[in-house]
Amino acid sequence: MKKQTGLGRGLDALIDTHVVTEGSSSINEVDLSLISANPDQPRRSFDAEALEEMSRSIREHGIISPITLRKNDDGTYMIIAGERRFRAAKMAGLKTIPAYVRTAKDEQVMEWALIENIQREDLDAIEIALAYQRLMDEYQLTQESMAERVGKKRATVANYLRLLKLPAEIQLGIKEKKIDMGHARAILGSPSTEQQLDIYKRILRDGLSVRKVEEMVSKKKTESLPKATQKDHPYQEQEKTLEEHLGMGVRIDAKHLTITFRTEEQLRLIIERLLH
């Protein structure tokens, strides 16, 4: 049987070969006053309402899942995973919190925090992209090695990193959940910052679907082609019909049919529409 790798194995499985756990595998009750947040935590925002809900649950039921800490040389602790539970426990008035205490190198802590947050789906797409980029920059990782370490496909890592090429206004819209990952990937198909911002504003104004955005981007790209490539030819009507059906740029020349796409999602849509 092939050995599982990445997120499918869980956080503990990813780090058990690199970490020594204090007190074997037992759970420790750690004083909250001795715990500090990880300054390299990839998650930058915590929803106040969600924290309050978790705090009420903790007051009623206690902490169900221990957090994970690293012990510092001075006897204090830094959070590896579980900052939201730590914050909610403080709000609930707890004095201690159950925790796994581990020894770890600095370079491992951020990686584990990223993995834990991805597993719990706690990060927005921009936070994930920034964390990937930072890990790659600090430890000279390629997209392939980064993907292997977090248990994702290389294309998935690449798609997140591409989000960092978007204008700051659109990145903020992703963080604030004004648009989703599908919209963002479609916007990336537009060649200029001006066009990307224009499409983004139309999404917010008109509530455009991802498919509609893809169609808009494809149309803008076709319109921007040099006039010499748009001259009349025998298959002009057929091209127009296919473009309207597929929502992508189409070119028919002699014995060749060319359909232009930029992302795996657009390719999937092309195949789906051709088959139906």
Side-chain angles (χ1 to χ4, degrees):
M1 181 180 293
K2 184 178 179 181
K3 187 177 180 180
Q4 284 186 302
T5 61
L7 299 185
R9 299 169 57 202
L11 179 62
D12 287 334
L14 280 166
I15 63 180
D16 59 3
T17 59
H18 303 288
V19 180
V20 177
T21 306
E22 288 191 359
S24 67
S25 60
S26 63
I27 299 172
N28 300 272
E29 282 289 332
V30 179
D31 193 321
L32 286 170
S33 66
L34 297 177
I35 300 172
S36 61
N38 176 5
D40 293 328
Q41 155 74 272
R43 185 175 188 181
R44 296 302 180 189
S45 60
F46 295 84
D47 182 84
E49 184 176 346
L51 275 176
E52 181 56 42
E53 289 179 1
M54 180 177 284
S55 176
R56 289 197 296 269
S57 174
I58 288 172
R59 279 194 290 268
E60 183 174 353
H61 303 291
I63 299 287
I64 304 299
S65 179
I67 66 174
T68 305
L69 304 174
R70 181 182 75 169
K71 190 170 185 178
N72 301 317
D73 293 337
D74 62 1
T76 62
Y77 302 85
M78 185 176 72
I79 298 171
I80 294 177
E83 183 172 344
R84 185 169 59 171
R85 277 164 284 161
F86 165 71
R87 290 177 177 231
K90 291 182 72 174
M91 291 174 63
L94 270 63
K95 300 300 181 184
T96 64
I97 190 170
Y100 295 106
V101 180
R102 303 180 182 275
T103 55
K105 297 179 180 179
D106 288 342
E107 61 266 25
Q108 293 173 313
V109 174
M110 184 179 176
E111 182 180 349
W112 296 340
L114 172 61
I115 292 168
E116 197 264 354
N117 276 292
I118 291 175
Q119 286 179 335
R120 294 176 180 274
E121 300 182 348
D122 280 347
L123 300 178
D124 63 58
I126 297 299
E127 287 174 326
I128 292 174
L130 289 170
Y132 284 157
Q133 189 64 65
R134 179 170 180 180
L135 283 168
M136 290 172 63
D137 290 344
E138 289 191 4
Y139 308 119
Q140 292 78 54
L141 303 176
T142 64
Q143 289 185 6
E144 288 81 3
S145 57
M146 182 74 255
E148 182 178 351
R149 290 176 76 158
V150 297
K152 294 288 187 180
K153 295 180 180 178
R154 189 206 64 79
T156 300
V157 173
N159 284 332
Y160 277 109
L161 293 173
R162 288 176 68 224
L163 299 180
L164 301 179
K165 297 179 180 179
L166 288 167
E169 182 178 349
I170 300 179
Q171 291 189 38
L172 182 60
I174 298 170
K175 289 181 64 65
E176 294 177 347
K177 296 181 170 51
K178 293 179 179 178
I179 62 170
D180 59 27
M181 183 81 166
H183 285 108
R185 290 176 62 184
I187 292 173
L188 278 163
S190 191
S192 72
T193 298
E194 182 180 359
Q195 287 184 8
Q196 290 174 350
L197 287 169
D198 177 62
I199 293 171
Y200 170 67
K201 289 171 183 175
R202 290 189 61 180
I203 294 172
L204 299 186
R205 184 187 68 208
D206 302 328
L208 301 178
S209 67
V210 173
R211 179 172 178 177
K212 185 63 178 177
V213 174
E214 290 172 342
E215 292 172 351
M216 287 176 57
V217 170
S218 178
K219 183 178 180 181
K220 284 181 178 292
K221 287 169 60 178
T222 302
E223 290 173 348
S224 66
L225 290 173
K227 294 296 182 182
T229 66
Q230 299 183 20
K231 62 184 180 181
D232 292 342
H233 61 84
Y235 306 109
Q236 197 168 39
E237 288 300 317
Q238 290 90 335
E239 283 182 354
K240 183 178 179 181
T241 299
L242 277 173
E243 285 181 348
E244 291 176 351
H245 177 65
L246 297 175
M248 309 291 170
V250 173
R251 178 71 177 174
I252 302 174
D253 184 16
K255 296 182 179 180
H256 298 92
L257 168 63
T258 303
I259 303 172
T260 302
F261 68 92
R262 293 178 62 87
T263 67
E264 292 180 5
E265 178 64 17
Q266 288 178 335
L267 176 60
R268 184 190 65 77
L269 288 171
I270 290 171
I271 294 172
E272 181 180 298
R273 293 169 193 172
L274 284 174
L275 294 177
H276 292 85

